[in-house]
Coordinates of all heavy atoms in Angstrom, one line a residue:
D103 N -28.2 27.6 7.5 CA -29.6 27.9 7.7 C -30.3 26.9 8.6 O -30.3 25.7 8.3 CB -30.4 28.1 6.4 CG -31.9 28.5 6.7 OD1 -32.0 29.7 6.9 OD2 -32.7 27.6 6.7
S104 N -30.8 27.3 9.7 CA -31.4 26.3 10.7 C -32.5 25.5 10.1 O -32.6 24.3 10.4 CB -31.8 27.1 12.0 OG -32.8 28.0 11.7
Q105 N -33.4 26.1 9.4 CA -34.5 25.4 8.8 C -34.0 24.3 7.8 O -34.5 23.2 7.8 CB -35.5 26.3 8.1 CG -36.2 27.2 9.1 CD -37.1 26.4 10.1 OE1 -37.7 25.5 9.7 NE2 -37.0 26.9 11.3
A106 N -33.0 24.7 7.0 CA -32.4 23.7 6.1 C -31.8 22.5 6.9 O -31.9 21.4 6.4 CB -31.4 24.4 5.2
E107 N -31.1 22.8 8.0 CA -30.6 21.8 8.8 C -31.6 20.8 9.4 O -31.4 19.7 9.4 CB -29.7 22.4 9.9 CG -29.0 21.4 10.8 CD -27.9 20.7 10.0 OE1 -27.4 21.1 9.0 OE2 -27.5 19.6 10.5
I108 N -32.7 21.4 9.9 CA -33.8 20.6 10.4 C -34.4 19.7 9.3 O -34.6 18.5 9.5 CB -34.8 21.5 11.0 CG1 -34.3 22.2 12.3 CG2 -36.1 20.7 11.4 CD1 -35.3 23.3 12.8
H109 N -34.5 20.3 8.1 CA -35.1 19.5 7.0 C -34.1 18.4 6.7 O -34.6 17.2 6.4 CB -35.4 20.4 5.8 CG -35.8 19.7 4.6 ND1 -37.0 19.1 4.4 CD2 -35.1 19.4 3.4 CE1 -37.1 18.5 3.3 NE2 -35.9 18.7 2.6
H110 N -32.9 18.7 6.6 CA -31.8 17.7 6.2 C -31.9 16.5 7.2 O -31.9 15.4 6.8 CB -30.5 18.4 6.3 CG -29.3 17.3 6.1 ND1 -29.0 16.7 5.0 CD2 -28.5 16.8 7.1 CE1 -28.0 15.9 5.2 NE2 -27.7 15.9 6.4
R111 N -31.9 16.8 8.5 CA -31.9 15.8 9.5 C -33.1 14.9 9.4 O -33.1 13.7 9.5 CB -31.8 16.3 10.9 CG -30.5 17.0 11.3 CD -30.4 17.7 12.6 NE -29.2 18.3 12.8 CZ -28.9 19.0 13.9 NH1 -29.9 19.2 14.8 NH2 -27.7 19.5 14.2
A112 N -34.3 15.5 9.2 CA -35.5 14.8 9.1 C -35.5 13.8 7.9 O -35.9 12.7 7.9 CB -36.7 15.8 9.0
S113 N -35.1 14.4 6.7 CA -35.1 13.6 5.5 C -34.0 12.5 5.6 O -34.2 11.4 5.0 CB -34.8 14.5 4.3 OG -33.5 15.1 4.4
F114 N -32.9 12.8 6.3 CA -31.8 11.8 6.5 C -32.4 10.6 7.3 O -32.2 9.4 7.0 CB -30.7 12.5 7.2 CG -29.5 11.5 7.4 CD1 -29.1 10.7 6.3 CD2 -28.8 11.5 8.6 CE1 -28.0 9.9 6.5 CE2 -27.7 10.7 8.7 CZ -27.3 9.9 7.7
R115 N -33.1 10.9 8.4 CA -33.7 9.8 9.2 C -34.6 8.9 8.4 O -34.6 7.7 8.5 CB -34.4 10.4 10.4 CG -33.4 11.0 11.5 CD -34.2 11.2 12.8 NE -35.2 12.2 12.6 CZ -35.1 13.5 12.9 NH1 -33.9 14.0 13.2 NH2 -36.1 14.4 12.7
E116 N -35.4 9.6 7.6 CA -36.4 8.8 6.8 C -35.6 7.9 5.8 O -36.1 6.8 5.6 CB -37.3 9.8 6.0 CG -38.3 10.6 7.0 CD -39.0 11.7 6.2 OE1 -38.8 11.9 5.0 OE2 -39.8 12.4 6.9
R117 N -34.6 8.5 5.2 CA -33.9 7.7 4.2 C -33.2 6.5 4.8 O -33.1 5.4 4.2 CB -32.8 8.6 3.5 CG -32.0 7.9 2.4 CD -31.4 9.0 1.5 NE -30.5 9.9 2.1 CZ -29.2 9.6 2.2 NH1 -28.7 8.5 1.8 NH2 -28.4 10.4 2.8
I118 N -32.7 6.7 6.0 CA -32.0 5.5 6.7 C -33.0 4.4 6.9 O -32.7 3.2 6.6 CB -31.4 6.0 8.0 CG1 -30.2 6.9 7.8 CG2 -31.0 4.7 8.9 CD1 -29.8 7.6 9.1
V119 N -34.2 4.7 7.4 CA -35.2 3.7 7.7 C -35.6 3.0 6.4 O -35.7 1.8 6.3 CB -36.4 4.2 8.5 CG1 -37.5 3.2 8.6 CG2 -35.9 4.7 9.8
T120 N -35.8 3.8 5.4 CA -36.3 3.3 4.1 C -35.3 2.4 3.5 O -35.6 1.3 2.9 CB -36.7 4.5 3.1 OG1 -37.7 5.3 3.7 CG2 -37.2 4.0 1.8
T121 N -34.1 2.9 3.4 CA -33.1 2.1 2.7 C -32.7 0.8 3.4 O -32.4 -0.2 2.7 CB -31.7 2.9 2.5 OG1 -31.4 3.4 3.8 CG2 -31.9 4.0 1.6
I122 N -32.8 0.8 4.7 CA -32.6 -0.5 5.4 C -33.7 -1.5 5.2 O -33.5 -2.7 5.2 CB -32.3 -0.2 6.9 CG1 -31.0 0.5 7.0 CG2 -32.2 -1.5 7.7 CD1 -30.6 0.9 8.4
K123 N -34.9 -1.0 5.1 CA -36.1 -1.8 5.0 C -36.1 -2.4 3.6 O -36.6 -3.6 3.4 CB -37.4 -1.1 5.3 CG -37.6 -0.8 6.7 CD -38.9 -0.1 6.9 CE -39.2 0.1 8.4 NZ -40.5 0.9 8.6
E124 N -35.7 -1.7 2.6 CA -35.8 -2.2 1.2 C -34.4 -2.7 0.8 O -33.4 -2.0 0.7 CB -36.1 -1.0 0.3 CG -37.6 -0.4 0.6 CD -37.9 0.8 -0.2 OE1 -37.1 1.1 -1.1 OE2 -38.9 1.4 -0.1
K125 N -34.4 -4.0 0.5 CA -33.2 -4.7 0.2 C -32.4 -4.1 -0.9 O -31.2 -3.7 -0.7 CB -33.4 -6.2 -0.1 CG -32.1 -6.9 -0.4 CD -32.5 -8.3 -0.7 CE -31.2 -9.1 -1.1 NZ -31.5 -10.6 -1.4
S126 N -33.0 -3.9 -2.1 CA -32.2 -3.4 -3.2 C -31.8 -2.0 -2.9 O -30.6 -1.6 -3.3 CB -33.1 -3.4 -4.5 OG -34.3 -2.6 -4.3
S127 N -32.6 -1.1 -2.4 CA -32.2 0.2 -2.1 C -31.1 0.3 -1.1 O -30.2 1.0 -1.1 CB -33.4 1.0 -1.6 OG -33.1 2.3 -1.2
F128 N -31.2 -0.6 -0.1 CA -30.2 -0.6 1.0 C -28.8 -0.9 0.4 O -27.8 -0.2 0.7 CB -30.6 -1.7 2.1 CG -29.5 -1.8 3.2 CD1 -29.3 -0.7 4.0 CD2 -28.8 -3.0 3.3 CE1 -28.4 -0.9 5.1 CE2 -27.9 -3.1 4.3 CZ -27.7 -2.0 5.2

Side-chain angles (χ1 to χ4, degrees):
D103 182 80
S104 59
Q105 290 300 318
E107 181 66 19
I108 292 172
H109 174 73
H110 169 75
R111 289 177 181 175
S113 61
F114 182 44
R115 286 195 296 267
E116 292 171 2
R117 183 157 61 90
I118 290 170
V119 175
T120 300
T121 54
I122 293 177
K123 284 183 178 178
E124 297 176 4
K125 177 179 178 180
S126 60
S127 177
F128 178 65

